[in-house]
Amino acid sequence: IYTVTAAPLGFSSALLVFSPHEGLGFDEYFNIHEQLDPKEKYLRFAMGLAPKATHIKYMNLSKVSFQAKAGPSLGIACQMCSAMAATETLRIILGRKHLKPVPSYCQFDPYSRKFRRGKLTMGNRHPLQRLRIAAAKILLASKNKSR
């Protein structure tokens, strides 16, 4: 079956669609496996959701807590997630053309007035994405130390 994932990130919503017929699977896209530390799993999930991170410039990263499984987002972003996921689900049910399954992604951020879509070939295994994940670890560690 298809799986639609939408996540609130700050003021924005990221959307991914996993198809049973094409694209990458969840674990393959996010590069998540059982041996990983839970914090690493959360980081890879977040980085795979929004590879272009429209929200990162205004988000208070000191509020990100992998232990509490929490990150800053607003109710409006949650509502946008439900709208985007419902619309994409309806497109799947109606058999509309031009479905863009993972490794394609999209993120809409009304605060920064940006819409980003693209393709993260190889998912989190992509060499540039692996560098972004390493940089995010350093950034999060420095923000959480300053608390």
Side-chain angles (χ1 to χ4, degrees), residues 46-106:
M47 295 296 291
L49 280 171
K52 294 294 181 180
T54 62
H55 58 287
I56 207 75
K57 288 183 181 177
Y58 63 76
M59 185 180 261
N60 183 350
L61 295 177
S62 69
K63 301 295 184 187
V64 174
S65 171
F66 293 130
Q67 290 85 0
K69 300 177 185 176
S73 62
L74 296 164
I76 194 166
C78 295
Q79 291 175 336
M80 196 165 37
C81 282
S82 64
M84 290 175 71
T87 301
E88 200 65 17
T89 300
L90 189 59
R91 292 182 75 239
I92 292 167
I93 291 168
L94 295 175
R96 297 294 191 233
K97 294 180 182 178
H98 309 295
L99 187 65
K100 303 264 187 200
V102 165
S104 294
Y105 63 87
C106 72

